[in-house]
Amino acid sequence: MAVFPLPQLEDNAVLLPSSQTNSTQPQLCDVWRDIQGAHNWNGLLDPMVPNLKAEALRYGNLAQLCYDAFDGKSYSKNYGTCYHSKRYLFNKMGMSESGYQVTKYVYANTNLLNQVFGEKPKDQGKNQEHHFADGVLIERGFLSCYTSTVRHRQGAAGATVNISSRDLVVSEIERLIQVYEKEMDNLSITFTGHSLGAALATLSAYDIKQMLCAKHNFHQIPVTVFAFASPRVGNPAFAKRVEEIGVKVLRFVNKRDLVPKVPGVCMNENVGCLSKLLHWLPWTYFHVGVELPLHNNSPFIQHTHNLAYFHNLELYLHLLDGYVGSKQPFSWSGRDHALVNKSCDLLREKYEIPPKWWQEQNKGLVKGPDGKWTQPSEEE
């Protein structure tokens, strides 16, 4: 997870894909509160307005960036961290024109996911349980990832400390709010993520909004989540509380993706009165916010029986790029369709894009002036 403060927008700035630029479209600076869900995106989704699609794709690209820039090679000396420093991330990943600045990397302890079903993490004490009191229950694995500590390096060559992703997120957002305190009327906080990242984004947004509500001067700051392929995060009381405190969540769901169907396969928001009567059961989970279903109606995509592919974030972004409305055919807006095959095999053969083509050159090794190949150190 990386923290990206919102870039400064000129008064005449319009953030639209080039193929959708239209003089009749409102300026983003005039409608940003609606884009952030001030009215629950009423009238903006079906059909989908270009400004909202552009912003959703922008946040989806940031989530994908976290995948692409993560060093998951167990033999690497930077294993489990970002390939690049905060200073060089966007330049190295081809997003130098993003308009954003990375201020903090946040890592979560995903090793605790093996304790999702039934076991309570040893370091999850009463403080965390009290924090989500009043009948609000969070899926244990997600809460563990959020509240349990992980070794975090302070700078490229600095010492490591044990700290939770929650503490990192809260402290950084508190710092940024102080930095932009004079712009409070134009300040918003947006979380995004895919799959587990979407669940943690929702949990973080809930936590941060609770913090803001406790501070009189900050309660009006909008908090929004653009969630891709998110599983359910908590029980009905959690979903109700998210709505009560004003967290706005827009969930993008591929209708053939299994992940958004769990947990709570049998007892969920779709069961109706029965789920309300049995809300106290530990296996009752509710989705939050507004759902935007994405259908696999792209002419670029071939038929497949590999259900895992339907969870792929690049496929989500491809389907979103072509989404016009719930009853409208796919309309390609210009996003490179080759990205779909970065880590899967979904494109039709006629496009001549090899499957799973995304790979790191020379497995990260670089050739030095002395002719020797070595692993580079992270940039300062």
Side-chain angles (χ1 to χ4, degrees):
M1 182 188 297
V3 179
F4 308 95
L6 185 66
Q8 295 296 317
L9 296 177
E10 301 296 335
D11 289 341
N12 61 349
V14 182
L15 296 179
L16 293 175
S18 57
S19 61
Q20 296 178 349
T21 302
N22 189 314
S23 60
T24 63
Q25 289 296 325
Q27 307 294 321
L28 180 62
C29 58
D30 295 328
V31 297
W32 69 269
R33 290 185 181 275
D34 290 325
I35 299 300
Q36 295 297 114
H39 301 98
N40 295 313
W41 298 283
N42 290 330
L44 303 181
L45 298 176
D46 196 6
M48 193 174 200
V49 299
N51 266 331
L52 177 56
K53 180 191 286 189
E55 286 298 279
L57 285 171
R58 186 225 289 259
Y59 290 118
N61 286 332
L62 292 176
Q64 183 63 48
L65 173 67
C66 292
Y67 280 127
D68 296 341
F70 182 75
D71 188 348
K73 304 186 300 295
S74 58
Y75 55 80
S76 172
K77 60 184 177 183
N78 296 317
Y79 173 63
T81 64
C82 185
Y83 282 123
H84 310 293
S85 68
K86 298 186 292 292
R87 179 181 177 185
Y88 293 105
L89 176 64
F90 287 122
N91 286 335
K92 293 289 187 178
M93 300 303 295
M95 296 180 63
S96 58
E97 302 299 322
S98 67
Y100 282 92
Q101 175 189 0
V102 184
T103 67
K104 177 72 70 174
Y105 284 147
V106 179
Y107 300 102
N109 191 348
T110 57
N111 290 330
L112 290 166
L113 283 179
N114 60 2
Q115 303 179 36
V116 166
F117 299 102
E119 295 296 327
K120 182 181 293 185
K122 294 180 180 179
D123 59 346
Q124 180 184 319
K126 295 182 179 180
N127 291 336
Q128 286 81 9
E129 293 178 350
H130 176 73
H131 181 74
F132 301 104
D134 299 326
V136 171
L137 297 176
I138 309 298
E139 200 284 329
R140 283 178 180 164
F142 303 151
L143 184 59
S144 296
C145 286
Y146 186 54
T147 60
S148 298
T149 60
V150 63
R151 295 186 69 82
H152 187 272
R153 188 171 61 187
Q154 302 292 333
T160 59
V161 296
N162 288 326
I163 189 170
S164 70
S165 59
R166 176 183 185 266
D167 290 339
L168 285 169
V169 170
V170 170
S171 62
E172 183 64 9
I173 288 183
E174 286 181 330
R175 186 188 70 82
L176 290 171
I177 287 176
Q178 294 298 327
V179 171
Y180 295 99
E181 188 170 10
K182 294 182 180 179
E183 304 175 42
M184 193 67 66
D185 292 339
N186 295 310
L187 194 62
S188 65
I189 299 173
T190 306
F191 292 85
T192 191
H194 170 254
S195 192
L196 170 62
L200 294 179
T202 302
L203 183 52
S204 296
Y206 167 78
D207 195 16
I208 292 299
K209 189 63 175 181
Q210 293 270 68
M211 177 194 74
L212 296 175
C213 289
K215 298 184 178 183
H216 177 71
N217 295 332
F218 300 152
H219 69 278
Q220 78 275 18
I221 299 176
V223 177
T224 306
V225 182
F226 286 83
F228 297 86
S230 178
R232 296 183 179 92
V233 178
N235 68 344
F238 171 73
K240 181 180 179 181
R241 184 58 182 164
V242 167
E243 182 177 0
E244 287 175 346
I245 63 179
V247 176
K248 304 298 181 179
V249 183
L250 182 56
R251 294 182 294 105
F252 299 92
V253 176
N254 185 335
K255 298 306 291 182
R256 297 192 65 183
D257 186 0
L258 298 180
V259 172
K261 303 181 187 301
V262 297
V265 175
C266 297
M267 295 298 296
N268 55 61
E269 69 282 351
N270 298 317
V271 180
C273 295
L274 183 60
S275 63
K276 294 181 179 180
L277 290 172
L278 301 178
H279 64 88
W280 49 271
L281 291 173
W283 52 82
T284 302
Y285 291 86
F286 273 28
H287 267 309
V288 299
V290 177
E291 177 179 311
L292 179 68
L294 299 173
H295 299 276
N296 295 274
N297 58 349
S298 167
F300 294 91
I301 305 302
Q302 64 182 343
H303 181 72
T304 181
H305 294 290
N306 191 331
L307 296 179
Y309 286 166
F310 296 113
H311 187 59
N312 185 277
L313 178 55
E314 285 289 5
L315 175 61
Y316 266 77
L317 299 180
H318 173 74
L319 297 178
L320 176 57
D321 176 66
Y323 178 85
V324 178
S326 60
K327 298 181 180 180
Q328 299 296 320
F330 183 93
S331 179
W332 184 52
S333 298
R335 181 180 176 82
D336 188 357
H337 59 271
L339 296 173
V340 174
N341 265 18
K342 281 173 69 174
S343 59
C344 62
D345 184 12
L346 279 172
L347 289 176
R348 296 182 182 275
E349 290 186 4
K350 68 178 182 179
Y351 296 111
E352 300 181 338
I353 303 298
K356 302 180 181 179
W357 57 263
W358 179 267
Q359 53 189 311
E360 186 183 17
Q361 185 176 14
N362 302 319
K363 292 191 174 181
L365 295 182
V366 296
K367 191 174 184 179
D370 58 357
K372 296 181 179 180
W373 292 86
T374 60
Q375 289 190 31
S377 300
E378 187 182 83
E379 311 98 332
E380 294 292 342

